[in-house]
Amino acid sequence: MMRIYFFYTCPHCQSKIHIESKCLYIDRDKKLLIWHIPDPREKVTLGEVQGALGTTSLAAYTCRAALTWGEWREKIIECESTYDDRLYEIIKYGAYQLLSKDDKERLPLEAYHIDYADDGHDPERLALVFMKKDEKGMAYVYPITEKLKDVTKDIFMPILDQLSREKQAPFERFGYAWASQFMTYLIKAAEADANRDTYGNLIGFWIKTIGEESSKRW
């Protein structure tokens, strides 16, 4: 259903045109607010959100922003899960780093995303989807295992909790670029810390886990 909001059908020739338009996704039960804002220069005003939501407080809500329709859909799928969407983005980043240069050319980053693992659309069973370049509709789909989710949470969640206590904008954009910056920051911080060997070993263990879990399904 989400796709129809971003396509205009010409009444004369019936051609469909993709249109990126501003849209706010609201899930009152799961307390989610996810903005699709195609222009990064456009500011999100709390008045707009409060008007759509009918409340002045957003404290109970998880608030996210996305620039493209694909990123917006992916973020909704991630946030509908009980697993933290930021951890999904970290897994997504780590898995792509394990690809060879040739594989990255065949499986472009711009088409790489997280989606449901199967047609059941279970929000607790998501997968990494590597779309093949120049082969429309063809992709490799690899379910994200519970072991990988548990290891990722154990290693990175304490750091994310600490960062969450710092002041943040009402609507953050957590995607692949954010995960890349997060890991760069983390590695530099570990290198400067007296216990860098210990944390370096944890990151190494995490990467090894991605590789081992990948070999079972990939």
Side-chain angles (χ1 to χ4, degrees):
M1 292 295 293
M2 289 186 289
R3 184 181 292 272
I4 64 175
Y5 296 119
F6 300 98
F7 283 85
Y8 169 76
T9 301
C10 175
H12 303 290
C13 68
Q14 301 304 310
S15 296
K16 290 186 177 181
I17 303 172
H18 183 208
I19 300 174
E20 295 278 1
S21 57
K22 189 175 178 181
C23 185
L24 175 63
Y25 175 85
I26 302 174
D27 187 325
R28 298 179 187 276
D29 294 330
K30 294 189 176 182
K31 302 299 182 184
L32 300 177
L33 294 172
I34 305 176
W35 266 116
H36 171 252
I37 306 176
D39 186 351
R41 297 169 298 179
E42 186 169 0
K43 301 297 183 181
V44 175
T45 66
L46 292 182
E48 287 181 283
V49 181
Q50 292 166 349
L53 197 59
T55 179
T56 58
S57 176
L58 305 181
Y61 282 80
T62 295
C63 302
R64 298 289 187 262
L67 293 182
T68 67
W69 177 86
E71 182 185 343
W72 184 68
R73 177 183 180 276
E74 180 182 44
K75 189 54 58 178
I76 292 172
I77 291 172
E78 290 178 354
C79 287
E80 289 287 351
S81 166
T82 56
Y83 195 66
D84 195 291
D85 65 298
R86 296 169 297 177
L87 295 175
Y88 274 127
E89 294 296 341
I90 291 171
I91 290 173
K92 180 180 172 184
Y93 169 81
Y96 198 75
Q97 300 314 300
L98 294 181
L99 295 183
S100 67
K101 181 179 179 181
D102 289 342
D103 282 340
K104 287 181 179 178
E105 291 179 357
R106 291 192 308 110
L107 308 168
L109 177 59
E110 57 269 22
Y112 171 50
H113 61 283
I114 288 177
D115 209 329
Y116 296 110
D118 52 44
D119 293 336
H121 291 183
D122 183 347
E124 303 306 327
R125 297 187 66 249
L126 302 186
L128 300 171
V129 180
F130 296 82
M131 302 297 295
K132 296 182 181 180
K133 185 178 181 180
D134 301 326
E135 295 184 49
K136 188 176 181 180
M138 300 298 293
Y140 297 112
V141 180
Y142 304 118
I144 299 172
T145 67
E146 290 301 316
K147 179 179 179 181
L148 179 54
K149 289 167 63 175
D150 289 342
V151 170
T152 303
K153 183 176 181 179
D154 288 344
I155 294 176
F156 298 106
M157 201 64 220
I159 302 169
L160 292 176
D161 283 340
Q162 182 178 349
L163 293 175
S164 295
R165 289 193 289 269
E166 299 176 2
K167 186 177 180 181
Q168 296 180 341
F171 285 83
E172 294 286 341
R173 186 179 176 220
F174 294 107
Y176 186 91
W178 167 84
S180 177
Q181 293 175 352
F182 173 79
M183 291 303 297
T184 299
Y185 159 80
L186 203 60
I187 292 171
K188 288 183 178 179
E191 290 174 347
D193 192 272
N195 298 318
R196 59 182 178 275
D197 289 340
T198 300
Y199 207 81
N201 290 336
L202 285 175
I203 295 177
F205 173 70
W206 173 68
I207 293 173
K208 181 181 178 182
T209 302
I210 294 177
E212 288 177 347
E213 294 302 291
S214 300
S215 65
K216 296 177 183 178
R217 298 169 180 264
W218 303 15

